[in-house]
Amino acid sequence: MKKLFSTKRKKTAPRKKMSSRARQTDMYLASSCFIGAFLAFCITIGSLAGCSMKSVLPGSQGQSVNATQETQAPAGTGSIEQAAGQTSAGSIPGGSSGSVQDGNAGSVPEGNGGADGSIGINGAGPLDPASDPSGNMVQPVSSEPAFTLPYDKSDPAEMASAHNWICSDLVENSKKLDGLTETEDFHAAVNRDWLSSNSIPSGYVSYDAFSERQLEVDAELLEILESDDTFSDPYIAHCQRLVRDYYKMWLDWDARDKAGMTPLADILEPLQNVSSLDQMTQYLSDPLTTIEALPLCSSFTAANPNDASSIAVYISPPSLTFQDAMYYSQLDPDSWKTQPRYMYAAGYMLERLGYSKEERDTVLKQSYEFECEMAAHMMTTEEQNAEDSSIRTNNPRTLQELEKEQGNFPLIGMLEGAGLAASNVFILQEPDWLAAMSSLYDEAHLEKMKSYLLVQDVLQFMDLLDHDCYNRMIDVRNILSGSSGQLDDRKAACDAVNSVLEMELGDVYAETYITDKTRSDITELINDAISYYRVMLEDEDFLSDSTKAEAIRKLDNLTIRVASPEERVNEFTLMDEDTTIISSGGSTGGKSVGDGTGRVRKQVINFRGPGDGGSLVEARIAISKNTTLKMASEVNQSVDLSEWIAAPQEVNAYYYPLDNSINIPAGILGGNFYSDSMPREERLGHIGIMIGHEISHAFDTSGRQYDEKGNLRNWWTEDDYRRFHSRAQKLVDYYNGFEPIPSYKVKGAMLDTEAIADLTGVKCMLKIAADEPDFDYDIFFRTLASNWRTLTTLETEAYCIEQDSHPLAYLRTNAIVVQFEEFHRTYNTKEGDGMYLAPEYRLDVW
């Protein structure tokens, strides 16, 4: 029996690790959500890698530089707020990598397209449903991948119909809104008082309606963290103890300052001792490296897109400091000298560890050079967010096939170290990257590899160490995002707890604040929206009967999750210090297991608190170890559909294609967005359009590729898809006409899924409103506009244009409301008004 890790080697603080479900969520949340959580994560923890507009975005149109590439897989889930919406440093909701596409996005590298322009599976091909040499059955890929097309060159007339409203999100424009009327600039007119009277708080990169709600939730979370109250339920009481202990240890600056750099030095020692390729292979294959440090690939468990009821192991490239592989071909060889993430963050950390300036510069230069070589063979953000990415990244492999493809690269060793090698199915997301790594993994690149891993490790540990490291991290973040100051320590500590113990904190939150009435009201509104969508689909004249039937089947099988999980953990075991797991995929050590009675038993995190001599470092070890154990235990298991993809306290909403679910956490069910006493117009204009938005993701350019069970399967006829694509093309052309900041034009193809969801969500609520007597459309549209009131910096706004798959906030008001006759009737718009859009240019995707 193989233990997952040895307990003999000294264990120190790991990086933040996510559960496999959270990882799976992250990789889908880029393009089907209400708020772009991942980009918020990048900005708020200071992982952008530029410094001013000129260095954050090293060139116009598509050259922003950022960091921390998350695992990426087929695009498709949803959170509702854009990047600027999550504004506080360290606030880390679940999210996915950002996306960027130009006006012709959707195209793919030569050799991947069919003769008719369609895109098939890249590097996969159907597998024979035969047993591999180990006797395990291999799940075959769908024989008919979804049909996709690149977008054409934009129609100039459609682009010209996009009105150049002032970018009222920008702080510097907030005082320039006087005199604008509802018919000239609806977003600015409705939100003028709020925009002109508010400012971005210290420590925030932006401030908006979601931030306001988040502050309310934060106050509730702080009450949980600082209260002496206890729960009688043993599981809730245990979660309460964990989150309070972590909170206290995060705030214990005396202990953190006393430890200084020692925890990081201990972690780096094994890497620093590597002096040969064999030793590097041993280091990368060590299970403790999986827990504590960053390997040369990312591997995790998630639902198999070819059989969404079962777990597969995904394999993807490691992080890039600038996130988007595109930039490494555009930046010069000395870019590491000017990018704050390299010089001011990683360089500072190396100096703190005792490196001389010459040694520091050697490490930074070698790391950058190795990233450039890797990036040349990795998908760009544009490719990751293209419509065909779900297909292109779906490359099933057996272990034996991976052994052949890895060459000299120790991929199998890393999988064994993570306890994942026994999987029946591996999803190799980027075969070109693996082929390149088999060439790069040699003695000639050894020092570059070491430098790259060293830089990544020192960057990821800045928030765990002493005051000086933490303050430097905040300084770098402020340089990158154009923000200033830092959060109050209590808020920052609360965010830290919420980032690594979000589900444990969420269980306590749900027990404290969620009511059955809220769950019932929202479920009723979701069912109303589903009823509208059923009529909408039945009446769509561009769809054939067969595609309609499949779409309605998907709608009828939609899973609804509201507020928080209703199943309760009834039995649990605590992970102790010596917990190990057999790398066979047969254990349920970290997996939630239902018994069919609404009760769940599970193994849960455990660590010593400050009263027992524990520390923040030890707690992070335990959290990381628990995550690793849980992923290893999920190998070859069935997907646990009772496990939520969102924590109850999240101020967000999601659609998740791999189980065809709509997820409305409790965090968004309060404040401005929902109350029991809210008028019907406000309820539809707030939480209603969010619900409509999320359901739409089941049928957007990405969601349409998944069936009612969450499998990646084509259920469209080619003719139906071509008609749908032409409607989406018109939307892309329209958004291509906006230029919020000089030289930074909107890229419609990047925004197609989110813009379609915004448009369809509002259309859904307006159809429901049509049956309401004396419905006040003025209240509805003003409510809608208030959802998107946002103040942000020039740097952050430019970054969002480049990398976020959500439209900018002011466009989520103005570019949407002008599409509807109800708006034009309510405000009596006429030709020549800024808010007038001629009927022939109005969008109607669904």
Side-chain angles (χ1 to χ4, degrees):
M1 294 188 298
K2 180 180 179 296
K3 290 186 176 181
L4 180 62
F5 63 87
S6 167
T7 58
K8 293 181 180 180
R9 199 171 109 190
K10 185 176 181 181
K11 296 179 287 296
T12 46
R15 68 192 184 279
K16 173 188 180 281
K17 299 189 76 171
M18 297 173 289
S19 69
S20 57
R21 187 70 164 187
R23 280 179 174 268
Q24 190 178 13
T25 303
D26 278 2
M27 55 182 196
Y28 285 93
L29 293 189
S31 62
S32 321
C33 22
F34 205 66
I35 57 178
F38 170 76
L39 292 177
F41 163 78
C42 286
I43 295 171
T44 56
I45 66 170
S47 59
L48 299 179
C51 80
S52 64
M53 275 292 290
K54 292 182 179 178
S55 61
V56 173
L57 304 163
S60 64
Q61 274 310 103
Q63 295 185 24
S64 75
V65 180
N66 56 20
T68 312
Q69 178 175 326
E70 291 288 343
T71 51
Q72 194 279 335
T77 313
S79 107
I80 200 163
E81 187 184 7
Q82 69 187 68
Q86 295 293 332
T87 53
S88 62
S91 176
I92 309 177
S96 169
S97 58
S99 57
V100 58
Q101 291 178 286
D102 60 26
N104 296 317
S107 62
V108 296
E110 292 182 0
N112 290 329
D116 59 357
S118 64
I119 306 301
I121 291 181
N122 174 33
L127 294 179
D128 293 331
S131 298
D132 67 22
S134 66
N136 294 320
M137 292 297 292
V138 177
Q139 176 67 31
V141 180
S142 170
S143 60
E144 188 180 0
F147 182 79
T148 62
L149 289 171
Y151 287 115
D152 297 327
K153 185 176 180 180
S154 292
D155 178 356
E158 196 71 46
M159 289 179 63
S161 71
H163 187 76
N164 190 27
W165 301 291
I166 186 172
C167 184
S168 51
D169 304 341
L170 294 176
V171 172
E172 51 263 53
N173 288 340
S174 62
K175 307 301 182 184
K176 304 176 183 178
L177 309 180
D178 288 344
L180 292 174
T181 66
E182 285 83 351
T183 57
E184 288 302 313
D185 188 326
F186 189 71
H187 182 84
V190 170
N191 293 312
R192 177 169 45 235
D193 291 346
W194 187 93
L195 293 170
S196 61
S197 62
N198 280 279
S199 60
I200 301 174
S202 175
Y204 286 62
V205 301
S206 63
Y207 188 62
D208 61 14
F210 292 87
S211 306
E212 293 177 304
R213 173 56 185 158
Q214 186 65 59
L215 289 174
E216 295 172 343
V217 172
D218 286 346
E220 296 170 334
L221 296 177
L222 280 171
E223 185 174 344
I224 289 172
L225 294 170
E226 296 179 346
S227 171
D228 292 328
D229 294 342
T230 58
F231 288 91
S232 58
D233 182 286
Y235 174 72
I236 299 299
H238 176 71
C239 291
Q240 182 185 44
R241 197 271 295 172
L242 291 178
V243 298
R244 288 178 179 175
D245 282 350
Y246 193 90
Y247 177 73
K248 292 173 183 176
M249 291 186 290
W250 195 98
L251 289 171
D252 189 353
W253 285 111
D254 288 341
R256 294 175 65 174
D257 288 341
K258 182 178 180 180
M261 301 294 288
T262 301
L264 179 55
D266 291 341
I267 289 168
L268 296 178
E269 183 179 1
L271 173 61
Q272 292 168 322
N273 289 337
V274 169
S275 60
S276 69
L277 199 63
D278 287 342
Q279 289 179 352
M280 176 62 80
T281 297
Q282 184 178 0
Y283 168 77
L284 292 173
S285 303
D286 190 325
L288 205 55
T289 301
T290 299
I291 294 171
E292 293 183 351
L294 291 173
L296 276 177
C297 76
S298 175
S299 56
F300 57 97
T301 52
N304 182 352
N306 310 296
D307 176 12
S309 66
S310 65
I311 295 289
V313 171
Y314 285 69
I315 300 166
S316 61
S319 302
L320 292 174
T321 303
F322 300 157
Q323 186 184 353
D324 194 337
M326 172 183 66
Y327 302 129
Y328 291 84
S329 64
Q330 299 177 352
L331 299 173
D332 63 63
D334 290 329
S335 289
W336 61 271
K337 294 180 180 179
T338 59
Q339 298 299 332
R341 282 279 289 178
Y342 259 101
M343 184 59 74
Y344 303 138
Y348 163 81
M349 294 293 287
L350 292 172
E351 290 183 51
R352 285 286 310 275
L353 288 163
Y355 286 72
S356 69
K357 285 182 170 55
E358 292 75 17
E359 291 170 332
R360 174 203 67 187
D361 289 353
T362 297
V363 169
L364 297 181
K365 182 176 185 293
Q366 289 178 337
S367 174
Y368 178 71
E369 289 175 350
F370 188 70
E371 287 197 75
C372 288
E373 291 189 74
M374 282 198 302
H377 306 280
M378 292 168 61
M379 291 175 67
T380 65
T381 313
E382 177 181 339
E383 291 167 334
Q384 291 171 357
N385 199 61
E387 182 182 355
D388 70 307
S389 66
S390 295
I391 300 167
R392 295 182 62 205
T393 57
N394 179 27
N395 302 292
R397 298 290 192 268
T398 64
L399 188 69
Q400 289 70 32
E401 289 171 327
L402 290 178
E403 286 177 327
K404 293 178 181 178
E405 292 183 60
Q406 71 175 358
N408 295 325
F409 186 58
L411 175 61
I412 303 302
M414 287 186 279
L415 291 172
E416 289 174 344
L420 304 175
S423 178
N424 294 336
V425 179
F426 299 88
I427 305 296
L428 178 60
Q429 297 185 287
E430 299 191 31
D432 290 347
W433 159 78
L434 181 57
M437 293 305 294
S438 68
S439 299
L440 293 175
Y441 195 78
D442 56 24
E443 292 285 354
H445 287 87
L446 178 62
E447 291 304 316
K448 289 184 179 182
M449 283 188 283
K450 282 183 61 177
S451 294
Y452 162 76
L453 292 170
L454 181 59
V455 166
Q456 297 303 308
D457 280 336
V458 299
L459 287 175
Q460 61 151 335
F461 276 96
M462 291 185 78
D463 70 320
L464 279 182
L465 302 175
D466 59 25
H467 251 127
D468 290 341
C469 291
Y470 179 75
N471 289 337
R472 176 57 68 102
M473 181 190 76
I474 298 300
D475 289 344
V476 171
R477 185 215 64 198
N478 287 340
I479 291 171
L480 304 173
S481 63
S483 57
S484 61
Q486 62 179 262
L487 295 177
D488 169 81
D489 273 358
R490 293 168 63 245
K491 161 64 174 167
C494 178
D495 288 345
V497 174
N498 204 21
S499 72
V500 295
L501 291 168
E502 63 175 359
M503 295 310 295
E504 288 76 14
L505 184 57
D507 285 334
V508 184
Y509 182 84
E511 189 76 8
T512 308
Y513 291 106
I514 294 173
T515 68
D516 289 338
K517 180 171 178 19
T518 296
R519 185 178 281 111
S520 175
D521 286 350
I522 299 303
T523 301
E524 181 181 354
L525 186 52
I526 292 172
N527 285 327
D528 288 344
I530 290 174
S531 296
Y532 158 71
Y533 270 90
R534 184 176 291 105
V535 173
M536 177 196 79
L537 291 168
E538 289 173 345
D539 291 346
E540 287 291 7
D541 56 10
F542 77 90
L543 292 181
S544 65
D545 289 343
S546 62
T547 303
K548 284 183 184 180
E550 289 272 11
I552 293 171
R553 181 181 298 114
K554 185 172 186 180
L555 185 69
D556 289 342
N557 282 275
L558 186 70
T559 296
I560 298 173
R561 299 193 183 106
V562 175
S564 67
E566 296 187 66
E567 290 186 329
R568 298 175 61 90
V569 174
N570 190 58
E571 299 176 10
F572 65 96
T573 57
L574 299 181
M575 181 193 71
D576 60 42
E577 185 177 350
D578 296 322
T579 299
T580 58
I581 193 166
I582 301 170
S583 180
S584 65
S587 170
T588 58
K591 189 176 177 66
S592 300
V593 181
D595 63 3
T597 64
R599 299 175 300 174
V600 176
R601 52 186 168 86
K602 65 187 299 186
Q603 177 178 286
V604 299
I605 299 168
N606 193 33
F607 53 77
R608 293 188 300 165
D612 298 320
S615 68
L616 184 64
V617 165
E618 289 183 359
R620 289 291 290 269
I621 294 170
I623 293 167
S624 182
K625 182 168 71 172
N626 187 77
T627 299
T628 304
L629 291 167
K630 185 174 188 295
M631 286 195 288
S633 74
E634 290 180 334
V635 170
N636 297 328
Q637 301 295 310
S638 298
V639 171
D640 181 5
L641 294 177
S642 70
E643 189 175 359
W644 271 44
I645 67 169
Q649 70 273 24
E650 284 197 41
V651 182
N652 213 331
Y654 305 88
Y655 170 77
Y656 189 51
L658 286 179
D659 65 7
N660 189 31
S661 65
I662 180 173
N663 302 266
I664 313 294
I668 205 167
L669 300 178
N672 271 345
F673 299 126
Y674 170 81
S675 73
D676 293 346
S677 59
M678 186 175 282
R680 182 68 166 171
E681 290 87 351
E682 292 183 14
R683 187 173 296 194
L684 297 187
H686 278 315
I687 195 64
I689 66 167
M690 299 179 193
I691 290 169
H693 174 110
E694 297 313 328
I695 297 175
S696 173
H697 278 310
F699 308 102
D700 64 21
T701 51
S702 294
R704 70 167 188 89
Q705 299 178 48
Y706 297 82
D707 66 17
E708 76 280 2
K709 295 181 180 179
N711 296 307
L712 186 61
R713 178 177 70 85
N714 184 33
W715 45 270
W716 289 63
T717 69
E718 182 176 324
D719 287 343
D720 288 348
Y721 168 69
R722 287 186 180 277
R723 287 188 287 267
F724 174 80
H725 181 76
S726 68
R727 295 157 82 96
Q729 175 78 58
K730 185 176 180 179
L731 177 142
V732 168
D733 293 352
Y734 175 70
Y735 279 89
N736 281 342
F738 293 108
E739 189 173 351
I741 299 173
S743 298
Y744 290 92
K745 296 180 179 179
V746 168
K747 301 162 188 170
M750 178 180 74
L751 308 176
D752 56 355
T753 59
E754 291 302 326
I756 289 171
D758 283 348
L759 181 70
T760 313
V762 174
K763 181 179 180 180
C764 173
M765 290 302 114
L766 286 173
K767 292 296 185 181
I768 292 174
D771 295 329
E772 301 274 341
D774 302 319
F775 189 83
D776 192 326
Y777 287 94
D778 178 57
I779 293 177
F780 173 82
F781 285 116
R782 288 177 181 276
T783 299
L784 181 156
S786 71
N787 290 328
W788 304 120
R789 58 194 188 200
T790 295
L791 286 172
T792 192
T793 65
L794 185 65
E795 290 85 353
T796 299
E797 192 83 335
Y799 175 78
C800 291
I801 294 171
E802 293 293 327
Q803 292 288 321
D804 193 1
S805 59
H806 298 75
L808 297 179
Y810 80 102
L811 294 178
R812 299 187 81 169
T813 298
N814 286 353
I816 293 299
V817 298
V818 296
Q819 310 301 330
F820 296 101
E821 183 61 29
E822 292 90 338
F823 175 82
H824 296 288
R825 286 201 309 265
T826 300
Y827 299 102
N828 193 30
T829 62
K830 59 184 181 299
E831 191 171 355
D833 291 340
M835 295 302 298
Y836 179 79
L837 182 64
E840 62 267 26
Y841 293 113
R842 295 177 194 171
L843 306 174
D844 188 22
V845 180
W846 282 108

